[in-house]
Amino acid sequence: VFESKDGLLVLSEVKGMRRAARDFERGLWHYTVICDDDVEVRAAPTYSDEARTGQFLCPGDVVAVDERCRIGGIWFLKLCDGRGWVFESKDRISVMANME
């Protein structure tokens, strides 16, 4: 099953994959921006430019995250405040760090 909004994939369901259960988590985590650049929030868990919302997180910002999903080996983090998604890393560079 695939769902899209404005031509952007926002939901996919994969059946029969045991690993898929470990690739999505719900809970409450706190992350901080650890890179030197602003991080643009996305409308969906993707790097796609089309998903950019125009909202940014700045270096040092701390955010609450209530969902995490791993796509292609990269964790995407859903912000609790409803602004959207950010990525934990990009191009093997850490962007966000869990404040456990």
Side-chain angles (χ1 to χ4, degrees), residues 40-89:
E40 191 163 4
V41 177
R42 304 298 204 270
T46 179
Y47 289 128
S48 173
D49 288 341
E50 290 81 24
R52 292 175 183 237
T53 66
Q55 298 181 58
F56 292 87
L57 301 180
C58 299
D61 281 355
V62 175
V63 294
V65 169
D66 60 0
E67 292 180 13
R68 303 190 292 197
C69 69
R70 185 171 33 215
I71 301 171
I74 304 298
W75 283 103
F76 287 86
L77 315 169
K78 182 174 170 274
L79 304 177
C80 282
D81 62 12
R83 285 184 286 174
W85 295 79
V86 294
F87 35 81
E88 191 175 60
S89 63

Side-chain angles (χ1 to χ4, degrees), residues 11-30:
L11 174 73
S12 66
E13 178 181 355
V14 180
K15 293 185 178 183
M17 293 181 65
R18 291 180 184 196
R19 185 173 177 205
R22 293 188 307 250
D23 291 342
F24 179 83
E25 300 175 334
R26 281 201 172 123
L28 180 61
W29 303 272
H30 291 89

